[in-house]
């Protein structure tokens, strides 16, 4: 079992390290923006489509307003998360 | 580094409850707190850690469980090349390269003077790492009751989607990013999130080539 843990740790590290280090390796293209948008969508909207999506959308709106009003990423995340928690109590 | 550590707090906020849940899952699966903690200390990749522990608990052979965990992490291969124009990746930087650290760094590094980028990235990664490991320790030691306060666990679980949303906003007019996001969401709804994210990375790579061919 410990060998499996070490294999996963080493493999994950190499997946992160080798493509980054390789000067003539993989060209990123638009992989960065593509992955950021993909990470957002899969983290915010869990399957299957449900009323939870509306709650998430409202909390994202709160996050957006927080970012516009404060200009602070961390504070906006805090506000959005707080709103999401409050909506769950309704 | 201090600037990076300060920038890490939204990630830390989001990581904490997930890490507590991971620690608790490991304990419930009958794994020792030390082994569970070692997983967070050495792997530092949430999805694959959940998969490893979950599969082991179901009696899947350990090496197969590790290989399946690695498949879930294939998308990480795209992160370094996307950051390469702004920061050369060393072993320590690569160790900290999670989804969330990547997304924040992609936004912040281009705005920083080159001399400050490494310190910022290391601070960001360290903040995320400390939160992940603190949460794992508390969960493994049975402190998941910390999140029992009404609404708190749910609120914290939304910190990472909110963070990704703000980081994705500048890219929502990018057709390649939207296509990749749509494909990832489609696979996610079918229960194949890891493959969807991997395909999103592939679409991002191909998108550059298509864009270049269209130019006169």
């Amino acid at each position: 079992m410990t060998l499996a843990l070490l294999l996963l740790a080493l493999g994950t590290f190499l997946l992160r390290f080798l493509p980054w280090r390789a000067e003539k390796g993989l060209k990123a293209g638009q992989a960065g923006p593509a992955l950021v948008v993909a990470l957002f969508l899969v983290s915010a909207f869990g399957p299957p489509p449900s009323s939870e999506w509306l709650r998430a959308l409202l909390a994202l709106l709160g996050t957006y307003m927080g970012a516009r009003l404060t200009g602070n990423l961390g504070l906006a995340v805090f506000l959005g998360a707080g709103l999401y928690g409050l909506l769950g109590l309704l | 580094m201090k600037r990076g550590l300060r920038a890490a707090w939204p990630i830390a906020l989001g990581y904490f409850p997930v890490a507590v849940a991971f620690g608790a899952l490991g304990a419930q699966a009958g794994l020792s707190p030390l082994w569970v903690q070692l997983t967070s200390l050495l792997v530092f990749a949430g999805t694959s850690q959940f998969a490893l522990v979950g599969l082991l608990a179901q009696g899947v052979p350990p090496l197969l469980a590790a290989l399946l965990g690695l498949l879930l992490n294939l998308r990480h291969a795209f992160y370094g090349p996307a950051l390469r124009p702004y920061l050369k990746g060393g072993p320590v930087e690569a160790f900290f390269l999670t989804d969330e650290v990547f997304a924040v760094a992609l936004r912040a590094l281009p705005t920083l003077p080159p001399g400050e980028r490494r310190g910022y990235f290391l601070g960001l990664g360290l903040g995320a790492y400390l939160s992940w490991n603190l949460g794992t320790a508390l969960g493994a030691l049975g402190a998941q009751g910390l999140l029992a306060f009404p609404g708190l666990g749910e609120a914290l679980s939304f910190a990472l989607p909110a963070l990704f949303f703000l980081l994705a906003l500048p890219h929502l007019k990018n057709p390649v990013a939207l296509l990749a996001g749509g494909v990832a969401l489609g696979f996610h709804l079918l229960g194949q999130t890891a493959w969807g994210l991997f395909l999103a990375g592939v679409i991002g790579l191909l998108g550059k080539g298509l864009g270049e061919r269209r130019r006169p």
Side-chain angles (χ1 to χ4, degrees), chain A residues 14-44:
Chain A
L14 292 176
L15 277 172
R16 291 168 172 170
F17 179 56
L18 294 178
W20 197 354
R21 186 188 173 94
E23 290 293 335
K24 292 179 183 173
L26 202 61
K27 298 281 184 239
Q30 297 191 52
L35 283 162
V36 170
V37 172
L39 285 167
F40 155 58
L41 289 171
V42 304
S43 66

Side-chain angles (χ1 to χ4, degrees), chain B residues 20-34:
Chain B
V20 171
F22 170 72
L25 175 74
Q28 283 163 12
L31 301 168
S32 76
L34 177 64

Side-chain angles (χ1 to χ4, degrees), chain A residues 16 19 27 30 45 55, chain B residues 44 73 84 154 174 188 205:
Chain A
R16 291 168 172 170
K27 298 281 184 239
Q30 297 191 52
F45 302 105
R55 180 181 167 200
Chain B
F44 192 36
N73 288 340
R84 196 189 300 137
E154 284 204 334
N174 176 333
H188 175 57
L205 289 178

Side-chain angles (χ1 to χ4, degrees), chain B residues 4-20:
Chain B
L5 270 172
R6 279 198 300 270
W9 81 265
I11 301 179
L13 195 69
Y15 272 8
F16 185 75
V18 185
V20 171

Side-chain angles (χ1 to χ4, degrees), chain B residues 8-206:
Chain B
W9 81 265
I11 301 179
L13 195 69
Y15 272 8
F16 185 75
V18 185
V20 171
F22 170 72
L25 175 74
Q28 283 163 12
L31 301 168
S32 76
L34 177 64
W35 197 90
V36 175
Q37 192 66 50
L38 269 179
T39 312
S40 281
L41 285 168
L42 297 177
V43 180
F44 192 36
T47 311
S48 61
Q49 288 183 224
F50 272 100
L52 179 70
V53 168
L55 290 169
L56 289 176
Q58 290 171 31
V60 172
L63 288 181
L64 179 60
L67 288 174
L68 291 171
L70 273 178
L71 281 179
L72 294 174
N73 288 340
L74 277 180
R75 67 186 182 282
H76 291 199
F78 296 115
Y79 296 163
L83 294 178
R84 196 189 300 137
Y86 316 111
L87 182 67
K88 236 180 176 176
V92 182
E93 289 90 336
F95 178 75
F96 287 140
L97 193 58
T98 62
D99 298 327
E100 295 75 15
V101 169
F102 158 72
V104 174
L106 186 69
R107 175 177 135 141
L109 291 180
T111 68
L112 295 173
E116 290 180 22
R117 290 175 183 168
R118 184 166 189 267
Y120 176 91
F121 187 90
L122 292 177
L124 189 67
L126 185 63
Y129 185 68
L130 291 175
S131 168
W132 182 250
N133 277 283
L134 177 65
T136 301
L138 291 173
L141 295 172
Q144 63 267 38
L146 282 174
L147 303 175
F149 190 80
L152 180 61
E154 284 204 334
L156 292 176
S157 75
F158 198 72
L160 293 178
L163 175 63
F164 281 132
F165 168 62
L166 293 176
L167 298 172
L169 273 178
H171 307 301
L172 291 181
K173 287 181 180 170
N174 176 333
V176 175
L178 284 178
L179 173 66
V183 169
L185 183 61
F187 272 76
H188 175 57
L189 295 179
L190 295 171
Q192 301 294 328
T193 307
W195 284 112
L197 289 171
F198 180 73
L199 280 176
V202 173
I203 290 169
L205 289 178
L206 298 176

